[in-house]
Amino acid sequence: MTQDRPVFGIFLMLGFCVLAPWGDAMAKLLAESTPVGLLVFVRFAAQAVILVPLVVLTRRSFRMHGPVFRLTVLRTVLHILGIAAMFSALQYLPLADAIAIAFVMPFILLLLGRYVLNEEVGPRRLIACIVGFLGTLLVIQPSFAEVGAPALLPLFVAVVFALFMLVTRQIAKDTDPIALQAVSGLMASVVLLPMLAIGTFSEIWEISLIIPDRDVHGLLFAIGLLGTLAHLMMTWSLRYAPSATLAPMQYLEIPVATLIGWLIFNDLPNGIAAIGILITIAAGLYVILRERASVQSGPTETPA
């Protein structure tokens, strides 16, 4: 499918930016009383339960040719790692801070392109990466002083989801998004269930399989439903609009997370963290806009 409906793609990305922080908020509510491994399993199991019947009813195909299947496996592993790290971080950090730190991802994508894929990246964009990372450090600093090493977990999330986005871009146009998410949900559930069994037998709380209280069943379902819809929208958006068009929209997730954090947890970033968030957003938008300008002007322009 060609990228010929950018407005629809932007609408889908806005849906992702609204739904994803709500799913994270539900996970934060349960993080202290429910093993992280179980939260991640429920997230993917719900995805499979919701989407597999939809694929069957709409007669979509589960089939994937070799390279796409291998990339889907890699994408699923990255997705598991990223969500597990984010849910773990939410045990210690305010919602907005955790998401803001994870938004060092655009800088990581740029550096991966420069030093791994040998893409041309000019000095101004490299400087913007440094400035953005310094802004991220301002967000990390208050949390690190309070909780220590767990404040670094969103950085790991950023690295994992940078790789996740690269893989998603490779397969977004060659797969149906509903079938892709259904297969990913099945794969993740098959991987996670034995891990939970081992964790339960070994009495490792973080990956134990427990029977949750009835009063949290609704929240568990909400984590799976919101996460499924959000990432379905994100994957689908890449089929309708260029990534350079969609990337700036993703920063709306930070003010949405700030609002949700204030409404549910009465959390707001402190002064230093708020300044860091603004610096990170400004640097990230500069990188994205320069990337788009470079693509539009063609290869003859000196990279900036």
Side-chain angles (χ1 to χ4, degrees), residues 50-85:
I50 293 169
L51 295 182
V52 168
L54 185 59
V55 172
V56 174
L57 290 173
T58 56
R59 298 183 179 180
R60 288 173 163 84
S61 175
F62 287 103
R63 294 181 181 178
M64 297 177 177
H65 59 82
V68 171
F69 179 78
R70 289 191 290 272
L71 287 173
T72 301
V73 172
L74 175 59
R75 180 181 183 274
T76 300
V77 171
L78 292 170
H79 205 178
I80 292 172
L81 292 174
I83 289 180

PDB file of all heavy atoms in Angstrom, residues 50-85:
ATOM      1  N   ILE A  50      -7.757 -10.854  21.068  1.00  0.00           N
ATOM      2  CA  ILE A  50      -8.560  -9.861  20.354  1.00  0.00           C
ATOM      3  C   ILE A  50      -8.388  -9.979  18.840  1.00  0.00           C
ATOM      4  O   ILE A  50      -9.371  -9.919  18.079  1.00  0.00           O
ATOM      5  CB  ILE A  50      -8.192  -8.438  20.819  1.00  0.00           C
ATOM      6  CG1 ILE A  50      -8.601  -8.223  22.281  1.00  0.00           C
ATOM      7  CG2 ILE A  50      -8.851  -7.379  19.934  1.00  0.00           C
ATOM      8  CD1 ILE A  50      -8.035  -6.956  22.892  1.00  0.00           C
ATOM      9  N   LEU A  51      -7.151 -10.164  18.379  1.00  0.00           N
ATOM     10  CA  LEU A  51      -6.868 -10.023  16.961  1.00  0.00           C
ATOM     11  C   LEU A  51      -6.900 -11.321  16.164  1.00  0.00           C
ATOM     12  O   LEU A  51      -7.220 -11.298  14.974  1.00  0.00           O
ATOM     13  CB  LEU A  51      -5.508  -9.338  16.768  1.00  0.00           C
ATOM     14  CG  LEU A  51      -5.428  -7.892  17.272  1.00  0.00           C
ATOM     15  CD1 LEU A  51      -4.055  -7.307  16.990  1.00  0.00           C
ATOM     16  CD2 LEU A  51      -6.513  -7.027  16.636  1.00  0.00           C
ATOM     17  N   VAL A  52      -6.567 -12.460  16.785  1.00  0.00           N
ATOM     18  CA  VAL A  52      -6.584 -13.714  16.029  1.00  0.00           C
ATOM     19  C   VAL A  52      -7.980 -14.014  15.474  1.00  0.00           C
ATOM     20  O   VAL A  52      -8.134 -14.327  14.285  1.00  0.00           O
ATOM     21  CB  VAL A  52      -6.052 -14.881  16.887  1.00  0.00           C
ATOM     22  CG1 VAL A  52      -6.342 -16.223  16.202  1.00  0.00           C
ATOM     23  CG2 VAL A  52      -4.546 -14.730  17.093  1.00  0.00           C
ATOM     24  N   PRO A  53      -9.055 -13.930  16.300  1.00  0.00           N
ATOM     25  CA  PRO A  53     -10.395 -14.143  15.721  1.00  0.00           C
ATOM     26  C   PRO A  53     -10.731 -13.130  14.624  1.00  0.00           C
ATOM     27  O   PRO A  53     -11.413 -13.470  13.652  1.00  0.00           O
ATOM     28  CB  PRO A  53     -11.328 -13.974  16.926  1.00  0.00           C
ATOM     29  CG  PRO A  53     -10.478 -14.252  18.112  1.00  0.00           C
ATOM     30  CD  PRO A  53      -9.130 -13.727  17.758  1.00  0.00           C
ATOM     31  N   LEU A  54     -10.240 -11.880  14.781  1.00  0.00           N
ATOM     32  CA  LEU A  54     -10.506 -10.865  13.767  1.00  0.00           C
ATOM     33  C   LEU A  54      -9.843 -11.232  12.439  1.00  0.00           C
ATOM     34  O   LEU A  54     -10.435 -11.038  11.361  1.00  0.00           O
ATOM     35  CB  LEU A  54     -10.006  -9.505  14.256  1.00  0.00           C
ATOM     36  CG  LEU A  54     -10.314  -8.300  13.367  1.00  0.00           C
ATOM     37  CD1 LEU A  54     -11.816  -8.142  13.166  1.00  0.00           C
ATOM     38  CD2 LEU A  54      -9.727  -7.028  13.984  1.00  0.00           C
ATOM     39  N   VAL A  55      -8.630 -11.754  12.512  1.00  0.00           N
ATOM     40  CA  VAL A  55      -7.945 -12.189  11.297  1.00  0.00           C
ATOM     41  C   VAL A  55      -8.726 -13.312  10.621  1.00  0.00           C
ATOM     42  O   VAL A  55      -8.904 -13.324   9.391  1.00  0.00           O
ATOM     43  CB  VAL A  55      -6.511 -12.646  11.619  1.00  0.00           C
ATOM     44  CG1 VAL A  55      -5.854 -13.298  10.394  1.00  0.00           C
ATOM     45  CG2 VAL A  55      -5.670 -11.467  12.081  1.00  0.00           C
ATOM     46  N   VAL A  56      -9.205 -14.263  11.419  1.00  0.00           N
ATOM     47  CA  VAL A  56      -9.961 -15.392  10.868  1.00  0.00           C
ATOM     48  C   VAL A  56     -11.276 -14.919  10.269  1.00  0.00           C
ATOM     49  O   VAL A  56     -11.638 -15.303   9.142  1.00  0.00           O
ATOM     50  CB  VAL A  56     -10.214 -16.440  11.971  1.00  0.00           C
ATOM     51  CG1 VAL A  56     -11.122 -17.555  11.443  1.00  0.00           C
ATOM     52  CG2 VAL A  56      -8.896 -17.028  12.465  1.00  0.00           C
ATOM     53  N   LEU A  57     -12.012 -14.075  10.992  1.00  0.00           N
ATOM     54  CA  LEU A  57     -13.321 -13.621  10.523  1.00  0.00           C
ATOM     55  C   LEU A  57     -13.224 -12.778   9.259  1.00  0.00           C
ATOM     56  O   LEU A  57     -14.124 -12.812   8.409  1.00  0.00           O
ATOM     57  CB  LEU A  57     -14.024 -12.820  11.627  1.00  0.00           C
ATOM     58  CG  LEU A  57     -14.499 -13.621  12.847  1.00  0.00           C
ATOM     59  CD1 LEU A  57     -15.028 -12.690  13.931  1.00  0.00           C
ATOM     60  CD2 LEU A  57     -15.592 -14.615  12.429  1.00  0.00           C
ATOM     61  N   THR A  58     -12.172 -12.008   9.123  1.00  0.00           N
ATOM     62  CA  THR A  58     -12.007 -11.156   7.939  1.00  0.00           C
ATOM     63  C   THR A  58     -11.193 -11.835   6.844  1.00  0.00           C
ATOM     64  O   THR A  58     -10.876 -11.211   5.837  1.00  0.00           O
ATOM     65  CB  THR A  58     -11.328  -9.831   8.333  1.00  0.00           C
ATOM     66  OG1 THR A  58     -10.071 -10.106   8.982  1.00  0.00           O
ATOM     67  CG2 THR A  58     -12.208  -9.028   9.273  1.00  0.00           C
ATOM     68  N   ARG A  59     -10.861 -13.104   7.080  1.00  0.00           N
ATOM     69  CA  ARG A  59     -10.164 -13.933   6.087  1.00  0.00           C
ATOM     70  C   ARG A  59      -8.824 -13.345   5.664  1.00  0.00           C
ATOM     71  O   ARG A  59      -8.412 -13.435   4.511  1.00  0.00           O
ATOM     72  CB  ARG A  59     -11.056 -14.166   4.854  1.00  0.00           C
ATOM     73  CG  ARG A  59     -12.335 -14.929   5.190  1.00  0.00           C
ATOM     74  CD  ARG A  59     -13.158 -15.199   3.960  1.00  0.00           C
ATOM     75  NE  ARG A  59     -14.370 -15.958   4.301  1.00  0.00           N
ATOM     76  CZ  ARG A  59     -15.285 -16.346   3.414  1.00  0.00           C
ATOM     77  NH1 ARG A  59     -15.127 -16.050   2.128  1.00  0.00           N
ATOM     78  NH2 ARG A  59     -16.348 -17.022   3.813  1.00  0.00           N
ATOM     79  N   ARG A  60      -8.170 -12.721   6.619  1.00  0.00           N
ATOM     80  CA  ARG A  60      -6.807 -12.286   6.369  1.00  0.00           C
ATOM     81  C   ARG A  60      -5.873 -13.493   6.459  1.00  0.00           C
ATOM     82  O   ARG A  60      -6.230 -14.528   7.014  1.00  0.00           O
ATOM     83  CB  ARG A  60      -6.375 -11.222   7.381  1.00  0.00           C
ATOM     84  CG  ARG A  60      -7.031  -9.866   7.170  1.00  0.00           C
ATOM     85  CD  ARG A  60      -6.694  -8.919   8.316  1.00  0.00           C
ATOM     86  NE  ARG A  60      -6.950  -7.534   7.980  1.00  0.00           N
ATOM     87  CZ  ARG A  60      -8.120  -6.941   8.083  1.00  0.00           C
ATOM     88  NH1 ARG A  60      -9.170  -7.628   8.527  1.00  0.00           N
ATOM     89  NH2 ARG A  60      -8.273  -5.676   7.753  1.00  0.00           N
ATOM     90  N   SER A  61      -4.681 -13.317   5.961  1.00  0.00           N
ATOM     91  CA  SER A  61      -3.729 -14.427   5.949  1.00  0.00           C
ATOM     92  C   SER A  61      -2.695 -14.254   7.058  1.00  0.00           C
ATOM     93  O   SER A  61      -2.183 -13.157   7.286  1.00  0.00           O
ATOM     94  CB  SER A  61      -3.016 -14.504   4.594  1.00  0.00           C
ATOM     95  OG  SER A  61      -2.021 -15.508   4.618  1.00  0.00           O
ATOM     96  N   PHE A  62      -2.402 -15.372   7.742  1.00  0.00           N
ATOM     97  CA  PHE A  62      -1.330 -15.378   8.731  1.00  0.00           C
ATOM     98  C   PHE A  62       0.034 -15.611   8.072  1.00  0.00           C
ATOM     99  O   PHE A  62       1.062 -15.490   8.741  1.00  0.00           O
ATOM    100  CB  PHE A  62      -1.557 -16.497   9.758  1.00  0.00           C
ATOM    101  CG  PHE A  62      -2.676 -16.223  10.722  1.00  0.00           C
ATOM    102  CD1 PHE A  62      -3.908 -16.834  10.566  1.00  0.00           C
ATOM    103  CD2 PHE A  62      -2.505 -15.351  11.787  1.00  0.00           C
ATOM    104  CE1 PHE A  62      -4.938 -16.597  11.462  1.00  0.00           C
ATOM    105  CE2 PHE A  62      -3.530 -15.108  12.688  1.00  0.00           C
ATOM    106  CZ  PHE A  62      -4.751 -15.732  12.524  1.00  0.00           C
ATOM    107  N   ARG A  63       0.038 -15.973   6.814  1.00  0.00           N
ATOM    108  CA  ARG A  63       1.282 -16.393   6.174  1.00  0.00           C
ATOM    109  C   ARG A  63       2.253 -15.228   6.006  1.00  0.00           C
ATOM    110  O   ARG A  63       1.859 -14.117   5.667  1.00  0.00           O
ATOM    111  CB  ARG A  63       0.987 -17.009   4.805  1.00  0.00           C
ATOM    112  CG  ARG A  63       0.213 -18.323   4.877  1.00  0.00           C
ATOM    113  CD  ARG A  63      -0.016 -18.878   3.488  1.00  0.00           C
ATOM    114  NE  ARG A  63      -0.771 -20.128   3.538  1.00  0.00           N
ATOM    115  CZ  ARG A  63      -1.147 -20.806   2.462  1.00  0.00           C
ATOM    116  NH1 ARG A  63      -0.849 -20.348   1.243  1.00  0.00           N
ATOM    117  NH2 ARG A  63      -1.840 -21.933   2.594  1.00  0.00           N
ATOM    118  N   MET A  64       3.519 -15.509   6.247  1.00  0.00           N
ATOM    119  CA  MET A  64       4.582 -14.535   6.042  1.00  0.00           C
ATOM    120  C   MET A  64       5.741 -15.244   5.365  1.00  0.00           C
ATOM    121  O   MET A  64       6.127 -16.340   5.795  1.00  0.00           O
ATOM    122  CB  MET A  64       5.061 -13.946   7.379  1.00  0.00           C
ATOM    123  CG  MET A  64       4.011 -13.164   8.135  1.00  0.00           C
ATOM    124  SD  MET A  64       4.643 -12.574   9.739  1.00  0.00           S
ATOM    125  CE  MET A  64       3.224 -11.641  10.310  1.00  0.00           C
ATOM    126  N   HIS A  65       6.282 -14.627   4.322  1.00  0.00           N
ATOM    127  CA  HIS A  65       7.430 -15.257   3.681  1.00  0.00           C
ATOM    128  C   HIS A  65       8.675 -15.094   4.547  1.00  0.00           C
ATOM    129  O   HIS A  65       8.694 -14.294   5.484  1.00  0.00           O
ATOM    130  CB  HIS A  65       7.652 -14.700   2.269  1.00  0.00           C
ATOM    131  CG  HIS A  65       7.885 -13.221   2.210  1.00  0.00           C
ATOM    132  ND1 HIS A  65       9.110 -12.657   2.448  1.00  0.00           N
ATOM    133  CD2 HIS A  65       7.048 -12.188   1.942  1.00  0.00           C
ATOM    134  CE1 HIS A  65       9.038 -11.346   2.307  1.00  0.00           C
ATOM    135  NE2 HIS A  65       7.790 -11.027   2.012  1.00  0.00           N
ATOM    136  N   GLY A  66       9.704 -15.854   4.227  1.00  0.00           N
ATOM    137  CA  GLY A  66      10.881 -16.012   5.089  1.00  0.00           C
ATOM    138  C   GLY A  66      11.425 -14.761   5.737  1.00  0.00           C
ATOM    139  O   GLY A  66      11.441 -14.656   6.974  1.00  0.00           O
ATOM    140  N   PRO A  67      11.880 -13.750   4.972  1.00  0.00           N
ATOM    141  CA  PRO A  67      12.474 -12.555   5.583  1.00  0.00           C
ATOM    142  C   PRO A  67      11.497 -11.809   6.499  1.00  0.00           C
ATOM    143  O   PRO A  67      11.888 -11.342   7.572  1.00  0.00           O
ATOM    144  CB  PRO A  67      12.868 -11.697   4.374  1.00  0.00           C
ATOM    145  CG  PRO A  67      13.027 -12.672   3.254  1.00  0.00           C
ATOM    146  CD  PRO A  67      12.005 -13.735   3.503  1.00  0.00           C
ATOM    147  N   VAL A  68      10.234 -11.701   6.081  1.00  0.00           N
ATOM    148  CA  VAL A  68       9.244 -10.998   6.906  1.00  0.00           C
ATOM    149  C   VAL A  68       8.989 -11.758   8.200  1.00  0.00           C
ATOM    150  O   VAL A  68       8.873 -11.161   9.279  1.00  0.00           O
ATOM    151  CB  VAL A  68       7.934 -10.797   6.121  1.00  0.00           C
ATOM    152  CG1 VAL A  68       6.835 -10.260   7.042  1.00  0.00           C
ATOM    153  CG2 VAL A  68       8.146  -9.839   4.965  1.00  0.00           C
ATOM    154  N   PHE A  69       8.930 -13.087   8.123  1.00  0.00           N
ATOM    155  CA  PHE A  69       8.713 -13.891   9.328  1.00  0.00           C
ATOM    156  C   PHE A  69       9.866 -13.716  10.303  1.00  0.00           C
ATOM    157  O   PHE A  69       9.651 -13.533  11.507  1.00  0.00           O
ATOM    158  CB  PHE A  69       8.556 -15.366   8.963  1.00  0.00           C
ATOM    159  CG  PHE A  69       8.355 -16.262  10.155  1.00  0.00           C
ATOM    160  CD1 PHE A  69       7.119 -16.346  10.772  1.00  0.00           C
ATOM    161  CD2 PHE A  69       9.408 -17.000  10.677  1.00  0.00           C
ATOM    162  CE1 PHE A  69       6.926 -17.160  11.890  1.00  0.00           C
ATOM    163  CE2 PHE A  69       9.232 -17.815  11.778  1.00  0.00           C
ATOM    164  CZ  PHE A  69       7.986 -17.894  12.386  1.00  0.00           C
ATOM    165  N   ARG A  70      11.089 -13.748   9.802  1.00  0.00           N
ATOM    166  CA  ARG A  70      12.254 -13.586  10.684  1.00  0.00           C
ATOM    167  C   ARG A  70      12.266 -12.194  11.329  1.00  0.00           C
ATOM    168  O   ARG A  70      12.584 -12.052  12.518  1.00  0.00           O
ATOM    169  CB  ARG A  70      13.543 -13.843   9.900  1.00  0.00           C
ATOM    170  CG  ARG A  70      13.749 -15.304   9.526  1.00  0.00           C
ATOM    171  CD  ARG A  70      15.139 -15.546   8.985  1.00  0.00           C
ATOM    172  NE  ARG A  70      15.318 -14.934   7.669  1.00  0.00           N
ATOM    173  CZ  ARG A  70      15.033 -15.541   6.517  1.00  0.00           C
ATOM    174  NH1 ARG A  70      14.531 -16.769   6.506  1.00  0.00           N
ATOM    175  NH2 ARG A  70      15.243 -14.932   5.363  1.00  0.00           N
ATOM    176  N   LEU A  71      11.929 -11.179  10.539  1.00  0.00           N
ATOM    177  CA  LEU A  71      11.868  -9.829  11.099  1.00  0.00           C
ATOM    178  C   LEU A  71      10.729  -9.702  12.119  1.00  0.00           C
ATOM    179  O   LEU A  71      10.850  -8.963  13.105  1.00  0.00           O
ATOM    180  CB  LEU A  71      11.683  -8.802   9.977  1.00  0.00           C
ATOM    181  CG  LEU A  71      12.912  -8.543   9.100  1.00  0.00           C
ATOM    182  CD1 LEU A  71      12.555  -7.646   7.929  1.00  0.00           C
ATOM    183  CD2 LEU A  71      14.046  -7.924   9.913  1.00  0.00           C
ATOM    184  N   THR A  72       9.632 -10.426  11.897  1.00  0.00           N
ATOM    185  CA  THR A  72       8.526 -10.406  12.851  1.00  0.00           C
ATOM    186  C   THR A  72       8.931 -11.038  14.178  1.00  0.00           C
ATOM    187  O   THR A  72       8.556 -10.558  15.257  1.00  0.00           O
ATOM    188  CB  THR A  72       7.302 -11.124  12.268  1.00  0.00           C
ATOM    189  OG1 THR A  72       6.901 -10.474  11.049  1.00  0.00           O
ATOM    190  CG2 THR A  72       6.129 -11.106  13.245  1.00  0.00           C
ATOM    191  N   VAL A  73       9.706 -12.127  14.106  1.00  0.00           N
ATOM    192  CA  VAL A  73      10.212 -12.749  15.333  1.00  0.00           C
ATOM    193  C   VAL A  73      11.100 -11.757  16.085  1.00  0.00           C
ATOM    194  O   VAL A  73      10.965 -11.576  17.305  1.00  0.00           O
ATOM    195  CB  VAL A  73      10.993 -14.031  15.012  1.00  0.00           C
ATOM    196  CG1 VAL A  73      11.678 -14.569  16.268  1.00  0.00           C
ATOM    197  CG2 VAL A  73      10.062 -15.095  14.426  1.00  0.00           C
ATOM    198  N   LEU A  74      12.019 -11.114  15.366  1.00  0.00           N
ATOM    199  CA  LEU A  74      12.897 -10.120  15.993  1.00  0.00           C
ATOM    200  C   LEU A  74      12.080  -8.975  16.576  1.00  0.00           C
ATOM    201  O   LEU A  74      12.327  -8.521  17.706  1.00  0.00           O
ATOM    202  CB  LEU A  74      13.895  -9.592  14.962  1.00  0.00           C
ATOM    203  CG  LEU A  74      14.817  -8.451  15.421  1.00  0.00           C
ATOM    204  CD1 LEU A  74      15.657  -8.872  16.611  1.00  0.00           C
ATOM    205  CD2 LEU A  74      15.702  -7.982  14.256  1.00  0.00           C
ATOM    206  N   ARG A  75      11.099  -8.500  15.830  1.00  0.00           N
ATOM    207  CA  ARG A  75      10.243  -7.409  16.297  1.00  0.00           C
ATOM    208  C   ARG A  75       9.509  -7.801  17.574  1.00  0.00           C
ATOM    209  O   ARG A  75       9.379  -6.999  18.507  1.00  0.00           O
ATOM    210  CB  ARG A  75       9.239  -7.044  15.199  1.00  0.00           C
ATOM    211  CG  ARG A  75       8.271  -5.929  15.547  1.00  0.00           C
ATOM    212  CD  ARG A  75       7.319  -5.705  14.371  1.00  0.00           C
ATOM    213  NE  ARG A  75       6.403  -4.600  14.618  1.00  0.00           N
ATOM    214  CZ  ARG A  75       5.244  -4.701  15.253  1.00  0.00           C
ATOM    215  NH1 ARG A  75       4.868  -5.886  15.738  1.00  0.00           N
ATOM    216  NH2 ARG A  75       4.471  -3.652  15.422  1.00  0.00           N
ATOM    217  N   THR A  76       9.039  -9.031  17.651  1.00  0.00           N
ATOM    218  CA  THR A  76       8.311  -9.497  18.833  1.00  0.00           C
ATOM    219  C   THR A  76       9.218  -9.551  20.053  1.00  0.00           C
ATOM    220  O   THR A  76       8.832  -9.134  21.152  1.00  0.00           O
ATOM    221  CB  THR A  76       7.710 -10.889  18.562  1.00  0.00           C
ATOM    222  OG1 THR A  76       6.798 -10.806  17.454  1.00  0.00           O
ATOM    223  CG2 THR A  76       6.948 -11.399  19.782  1.00  0.00           C
ATOM    224  N   VAL A  77      10.435 -10.047  19.872  1.00  0.00           N
ATOM    225  CA  VAL A  77      11.390 -10.103  20.989  1.00  0.00           C
ATOM    226  C   VAL A  77      11.698  -8.690  21.490  1.00  0.00           C
ATOM    227  O   VAL A  77      11.713  -8.432  22.702  1.00  0.00           O
ATOM    228  CB  VAL A  77      12.680 -10.823  20.556  1.00  0.00           C
ATOM    229  CG1 VAL A  77      13.754 -10.698  21.642  1.00  0.00           C
ATOM    230  CG2 VAL A  77      12.404 -12.292  20.256  1.00  0.00           C
ATOM    231  N   LEU A  78      11.923  -7.766  20.560  1.00  0.00           N
ATOM    232  CA  LEU A  78      12.190  -6.384  20.948  1.00  0.00           C
ATOM    233  C   LEU A  78      10.983  -5.775  21.669  1.00  0.00           C
ATOM    234  O   LEU A  78      11.141  -5.038  22.655  1.00  0.00           O
ATOM    235  CB  LEU A  78      12.533  -5.548  19.712  1.00  0.00           C
ATOM    236  CG  LEU A  78      13.854  -5.873  19.027  1.00  0.00           C
ATOM    237  CD1 LEU A  78      13.954  -5.151  17.690  1.00  0.00           C
ATOM    238  CD2 LEU A  78      15.037  -5.489  19.913  1.00  0.00           C
ATOM    239  N   HIS A  79       9.801  -6.120  21.189  1.00  0.00           N
ATOM    240  CA  HIS A  79       8.578  -5.595  21.807  1.00  0.00           C
ATOM    241  C   HIS A  79       8.439  -6.088  23.244  1.00  0.00           C
ATOM    242  O   HIS A  79       8.097  -5.322  24.155  1.00  0.00           O
ATOM    243  CB  HIS A  79       7.372  -6.031  20.965  1.00  0.00           C
ATOM    244  CG  HIS A  79       6.188  -5.123  21.106  1.00  0.00           C
ATOM    245  ND1 HIS A  79       5.020  -5.304  20.405  1.00  0.00           N
ATOM    246  CD2 HIS A  79       5.973  -4.025  21.894  1.00  0.00           C
ATOM    247  CE1 HIS A  79       4.148  -4.361  20.739  1.00  0.00           C
ATOM    248  NE2 HIS A  79       4.702  -3.579  21.629  1.00  0.00           N
ATOM    249  N   ILE A  80       8.711  -7.356  23.462  1.00  0.00           N
ATOM    250  CA  ILE A  80       8.648  -7.921  24.820  1.00  0.00           C
ATOM    251  C   ILE A  80       9.636  -7.205  25.731  1.00  0.00           C
ATOM    252  O   ILE A  80       9.289  -6.781  26.846  1.00  0.00           O
ATOM    253  CB  ILE A  80       8.954  -9.433  24.789  1.00  0.00           C
ATOM    254  CG1 ILE A  80       7.830 -10.194  24.085  1.00  0.00           C
ATOM    255  CG2 ILE A  80       9.134  -9.979  26.209  1.00  0.00           C
ATOM    256  CD1 ILE A  80       8.158 -11.657  23.840  1.00  0.00           C
ATOM    257  N   LEU A  81      10.875  -7.063  25.272  1.00  0.00           N
ATOM    258  CA  LEU A  81      11.907  -6.418  26.089  1.00  0.00           C
ATOM    259  C   LEU A  81      11.538  -4.970  26.399  1.00  0.00           C
ATOM    260  O   LEU A  81      11.694  -4.499  27.538  1.00  0.00           O
ATOM    261  CB  LEU A  81      13.251  -6.472  25.375  1.00  0.00           C
ATOM    262  CG  LEU A  81      13.897  -7.850  25.222  1.00  0.00           C
ATOM    263  CD1 LEU A  81      15.143  -7.755  24.357  1.00  0.00           C
ATOM    264  CD2 LEU A  81      14.233  -8.444  26.578  1.00  0.00           C
ATOM    265  N   GLY A  82      11.063  -4.249  25.392  1.00  0.00           N
ATOM    266  CA  GLY A  82      10.732  -2.844  25.592  1.00  0.00           C
ATOM    267  C   GLY A  82       9.586  -2.643  26.569  1.00  0.00           C
ATOM    268  O   GLY A  82       9.663  -1.790  27.462  1.00  0.00           O
ATOM    269  N   ILE A  83       8.526  -3.423  26.426  1.00  0.00           N
ATOM    270  CA  ILE A  83       7.377  -3.276  27.320  1.00  0.00           C
ATOM    271  C   ILE A  83       7.735  -3.720  28.730  1.00  0.00           C
ATOM    272  O   ILE A  83       7.338  -3.080  29.718  1.00  0.00           O
ATOM    273  CB  ILE A  83       6.174  -4.072  26.764  1.00  0.00           C
ATOM    274  CG1 ILE A  83       5.635  -3.366  25.521  1.00  0.00           C
ATOM    275  CG2 ILE A  83       5.075  -4.201  27.816  1.00  0.00           C
ATOM    276  CD1 ILE A  83       4.461  -4.055  24.881  1.00  0.00           C
ATOM    277  N   ALA A  84       8.492  -4.811  28.862  1.00  0.00           N
ATOM    278  CA  ALA A  84       8.896  -5.270  30.200  1.00  0.00           C
ATOM    279  C   ALA A  84       9.734  -4.206  30.903  1.00  0.00           C
ATOM    280  O   ALA A  84       9.544  -3.948  32.111  1.00  0.00           O
ATOM    281  CB  ALA A  84       9.675  -6.580  30.081  1.00  0.00           C
ATOM    282  N   ALA A  85      10.656  -3.582  30.175  1.00  0.00           N
ATOM    283  CA  ALA A  85      11.493  -2.545  30.779  1.00  0.00           C
ATOM    284  C   ALA A  85      10.669  -1.321  31.166  1.00  0.00           C
ATOM    285  O   ALA A  85      10.876  -0.718  32.230  1.00  0.00           O
ATOM    286  CB  ALA A  85      12.619  -2.156  29.821  1.00  0.00           C
TER     287      ALA A  85
END
